[in-house]
Amino acid sequence: GAVVSQHPSWVICKSGTSVKIECRSLDFQATTMFWYRQFPKQSLMLMATSNEGSKATYEQGVEKDKFLINHASLTLSTLTVTSAHPEDSSFYICSAEEGTRNTDTQYFGPGTRLTVL
Amino acid sequence: DAKTTQPPSMDCAEGRAANLPCNHSTISGNEYVYWYRQIHSQGPQYIIHGLKNNETNEMASLIITEDRKSSTLILPHATLRDTAVYYCIVHNYGQNFVFGPGTRLSVLP
């Protein structure tokens, strides 16, 4: 149980284009999902918290107009990187919170590697 | 900031137990100890978590000291597929998970 998928697993795009990444909880409902970014040889950094049916909460330094997050259902959140530039190239990972049994364990997707040329 | 301290790297022989330490001397009473691991180019995988008591599941055992200031993750029979970065995270319900640099475990044949 507690499986999270991401699509696509990797994407290459030209500078200035937009890229959408999907995150799905496959066998549980997730009121809250999270988006992280990981640069090479670094740890995961939280970008934003996504709550179903409401606006996302962004961490300091993350541009909300550049990284658009939509959490329209209890099993799907999307991250759109708008007007991508080479410095946005990174490993983007989502997680979903399985909020049962009085814990808020996060289960992570496999990640999406974005390369912006 | 991460509230845990882990060795940057460890080696373990295949088939032997891997014991990964974590110090969390400033842990508060309602904070859990979580362990995740990240195999190269994949998302983190949940392993186990605990509050006070030792915990065991199909993947690992978690030993938490009585004063809760440190813990040890035990992989009883390490395999090559257990090579990964292991993250020890102190987490309070409703708060964000903060990932530190973790321990890079190399399981050697």
Side-chain angles (χ1 to χ4, degrees):
Chain A
V3 179
V4 176
S5 70
Q6 274 184 249
H7 178 81
S9 55
W10 59 269
V11 58
I12 301 172
C13 70
K14 293 182 178 179
S15 185
T17 60
S18 295
V19 174
K20 179 186 282 189
I21 303 170
E22 292 186 350
C23 176
R24 295 182 185 271
S25 56
L26 297 186
D27 52 0
F28 65 100
Q29 294 185 329
T31 305
T32 306
M33 290 184 169
F34 304 83
W35 288 96
Y36 294 79
R37 182 167 52 182
Q38 186 175 33
F39 292 106
K41 299 188 186 303
Q42 295 185 22
S43 194
L44 281 76
M45 294 297 294
L46 179 65
M47 298 175 66
T49 302
S50 166
N51 291 297
E52 187 264 336
S54 64
K55 290 184 178 180
T57 303
Y58 291 81
E59 296 299 301
Q60 192 172 8
V62 178
E63 300 174 58
K64 65 178 183 346
D65 294 329
K66 181 170 183 62
F67 298 98
L68 302 179
I69 292 172
N70 184 276
H71 192 162
S73 79
L74 289 173
T75 59
L76 173 64
S77 176
T78 61
L79 169 69
T80 301
V81 184
T82 63
S83 186
H85 291 285
E87 57 266 28
D88 299 321
S89 297
S90 188
F91 192 48
Y92 291 86
I93 309 168
C94 73
S95 70
E97 180 181 289
E98 203 242 1
T100 61
R101 291 165 283 174
N102 293 321
T103 68
D104 56 353
T105 299
Q106 289 184 25
Y107 294 91
F108 288 80
T112 297
R113 187 160 302 281
L114 170 64
T115 302
V116 184
L117 302 177
Chain B
D1 293 332
K3 300 180 183 178
T4 62
T5 303
Q6 299 177 253
S9 64
M10 291 181 63
D11 291 341
C12 175
E14 188 179 17
R16 305 298 294 268
N19 298 289
L20 292 95
C22 180
N23 287 322
H24 31 80
S25 58
T26 61
I27 193 170
S28 64
N30 48 3
E31 287 181 317
Y32 288 79
V33 179
Y34 273 78
W35 283 84
Y36 285 85
R37 72 180 182 184
Q38 187 176 24
I39 295 170
H40 183 63
S41 294
Q42 297 183 24
Q45 178 187 21
Y46 167 76
I47 301 174
I48 200 167
H49 74 282
L51 184 63
K52 289 188 290 189
N53 300 321
N54 298 337
E55 302 286 344
T56 295
N57 63 20
E58 65 278 6
M59 288 184 68
S61 295
L62 173 60
I63 308 298
I64 303 174
T65 57
E66 195 168 339
D67 63 7
R68 303 212 319 127
K69 292 186 177 182
S70 66
S71 61
T72 301
L73 179 75
I74 301 172
L75 307 179
H77 305 287
T79 71
L80 298 179
R81 287 178 292 183
D82 292 321
T83 292
V85 177
Y86 287 76
Y87 299 100
C88 168
I89 301 170
V90 164
H91 172 71
N92 200 347
Y93 187 88
Q95 301 295 311
N96 293 331
F97 281 80
V98 178
F99 286 79
T103 295
R104 183 172 299 276
L105 174 69
S106 298
V107 180
L108 307 175

